[in-house]
Amino acid sequence: MSQPTPVATTWVNGRVADNLPVTDRGLAYGDGLFETLRACRGTLPLQALHLARLQRGCAALRIPFEADLIAAELNNAAAIVGDGVVKLILSRGTGQRGYAMPADATPSRIISISPLPLYPSDRRDGVHLFACTTRLADQPLLAGIKHLNRLEQVLARSEWQDPAFAEGLVCDQQGAVVECTMSNLFARVAGQWVTPDLGRCGVQGVMREYLLAQLAERRQPARVARLSRDALYQADEVFCCNSLIGVWPVVRLDDQVWQVGGETRLLQSLAEQVYL
Amino acid sequence: MSQPTPVATTWVNGRVADNLPVTDRGLAYGDGLFETLRACRGTLPLQALHLARLQRGCAALRIPFEADLIAAELNNAAAIVGDGVVKLILSRGTGQRGYAMPADATPSRIISISPLPLYPSDRRDGVHLFACTTRLADQPLLAGIKHLNRLEQVLARSEWQDPAFAEGLVCDQQGAVVECTMSNLFARVAGQWVTPDLGRCGVQGVMREYLLAQLAERRQPARVARLSRDALYQADEVFCCNSLIGVWPVVRLDDQVWQVGGETRLLQSLAEQVYL
């Protein structure tokens, strides 16, 4: 007997609802933040890192951050979905026309649950990257946080349809490597992991943070630094990661081919242990 | 007897509604565009310029552009509001999680009407600009169009609350003048109008387009060029403009003071004639 496909369920400000007032500033200006969490047997293993990033985003955008309320709602959603995805959108709330932040806005919390995305299982043994021509703009005020202004990612992701490419590499305006469209990138250079500095553009992924912490704990700290396209090509191992996919080794970009290395397998194993 | 305040009314995809599915990509990623039009006695005098910009935005974001349907709905809203504001949000429509543009998405049209904003009438005789420290990022793929990724404007507008400042000046990452938070800027330099080039950031305002066309028709074309902060300080006349406010002469920025000049009054008069 086949199981019925789970239907995504949504809550708005704590109540079951699937719509939002059109005056919400999340719609009007992308004035808000989001988090996408992987639920595992009803829990959210990386919740603390997600909430820390959300708090940084709230500080940058000056949106009130109600940690306990949000954590409770996320945990409730995780208990319902079991194994799956919990997504939170936190917008500034409704407002009149005009860019000025309303003095009295109450943030909107939109939480939805959905099944884990069905990626081909062989991606854990290596993926091809598409080289996107879309370049990320330098904006230190918004770099690192997961805000709702995501047209750059939408444009970059639209550059390829061929499913042979699992992800797309995105660079900054100067041509340095930043990240992939929905994941962060690590490269093994001269015996050390390097991941691009995200001080001017890019999203500080939670899996990236987790792996950086794991490496630091093992006294093999990664370097967070500028990574040129040439340095990436010459790297010994490359992988991309996020909290849903874990670690995907990169085995091809343009004409460059890599083997899946032992250091990548080690981090992949650490990522997979999060959800055991 | 006081009149009751007109209540804003909203249509979603042609039906009276004040909410939208939370799966709309306008909310998820700011994946869409907007236009704010001034209605005058039930008509939209600059509608053609608004629709032209919307079409450019649809081309840039690859959102289908249904010109006739949108024009009909805007005209319907204008007839109802009479004298006021008609705002359109055109998003890519609903979609699953993920940045990839859905192949089958139907754009969402959200149209709302509201009264004209109540700005102090003395602003037509000169305004003070606040010098924002928020700088706009260089992103040629999104420059000029009126997309929904507006966190930079939200941050810039949040830098001042003092109503003595009517608008805020915003520069690019290199410190050159781009625009104001909700309007474009013109400066009179060496006997010619200059307005910043918006090829890397900024919004091509409809009133700016209208005034550029008017100047060209009078064989006094403006220069569209880089405008340094120093060049702005040294200008003989300065104004900001948009299709709701018309032309506001700028009489102060930092310690620099300007008089309201005759050339500014001429363009102000042209802007006001649009809505007579």
Side-chain angles (χ1 to χ4, degrees), chain A residues 8-270:
Chain A
T9 306
T10 310
W11 296 262
V12 176
N13 297 328
R15 293 165 181 264
V16 174
D18 55 10
N19 54 54
L20 194 71
V22 296
T23 49
D24 196 276
R25 290 172 59 100
L27 173 67
Y29 306 128
D31 192 2
L33 303 155
F34 71 112
E35 291 290 335
T36 308
L37 302 89
R38 178 165 167 184
C40 179
R41 294 198 310 275
T43 69
L44 299 165
L46 295 180
Q47 183 181 35
L49 290 174
H50 284 283
L51 289 176
R53 179 174 60 185
L54 185 65
Q55 185 168 22
R56 292 197 303 273
C58 283
L61 302 186
R62 271 166 287 150
I63 291 176
F65 176 60
E66 297 182 276
D68 294 344
L69 176 61
I70 288 169
E73 291 186 357
L74 291 175
N75 287 329
N76 177 58
I80 292 169
V81 76
D83 291 291
V85 177
V86 177
K87 177 171 173 176
L88 163 72
I89 294 177
L90 181 69
S91 86
R92 193 179 305 279
T94 60
Q96 300 298 308
R97 225 173 26 73
Y99 294 126
M101 298 177 184
D104 56 351
T106 305
S108 304
R109 307 179 307 279
I110 301 109
I111 292 180
S112 57
I113 57 176
S114 54
L116 281 176
L118 291 172
Y119 295 118
S121 61
D122 61 3
R123 288 193 179 174
R124 74 180 299 284
D125 297 317
V127 299
H128 295 199
L129 292 191
F130 183 86
C132 297
T133 59
T134 299
R135 292 185 165 193
L136 301 179
D138 281 359
Q139 181 48 277
L141 296 175
L142 298 172
I145 65 174
K146 197 146 179 169
H147 55 70
L148 296 174
N149 279 201
R150 290 294 156 208
L151 278 172
E152 291 180 327
Q153 281 71 32
V154 171
L155 289 179
R157 182 59 189 83
S158 76
E159 290 189 44
W160 83 94
Q161 276 77 45
D162 184 346
F165 299 103
E167 248 290 33
L169 180 75
V170 191
C171 295
D172 66 18
Q173 300 284 325
Q174 289 77 42
V177 171
V178 181
E179 60 190 7
C180 295
T181 67
M182 62 165 190
S183 59
N184 291 116
L185 196 92
F186 283 71
R188 186 85 182 167
V189 178
Q192 187 180 26
W193 285 112
V194 181
T195 190
D197 180 84
L198 304 176
R200 299 192 62 84
C201 52
V203 177
Q204 285 180 16
V206 157
M207 185 55 80
R208 172 181 178 274
E209 295 284 302
Y210 175 77
L211 295 177
L212 286 175
Q214 289 287 319
L215 288 168
E217 206 170 278
R218 285 150 196 268
R219 298 181 189 277
Q220 300 181 351
R223 220 157 36 92
V224 177
R226 186 175 194 277
L227 179 66
S228 72
R229 192 86 170 247
D230 282 346
L232 175 63
Y233 286 132
Q234 290 157 25
D236 297 315
E237 303 182 27
V238 178
F239 70 85
C240 57
C241 64
N242 76 25
S243 59
L244 291 190
I245 68 176
V247 166
W248 284 348
V250 174
V251 294
R252 180 152 196 170
L253 168 68
D254 298 330
D255 293 331
Q256 184 64 40
V257 176
W258 291 274
Q259 303 300 314
V260 182
E263 298 292 332
T264 297
R265 287 295 190 196
L266 176 66
L267 292 187
Q268 185 174 53
S269 162
L270 289 174

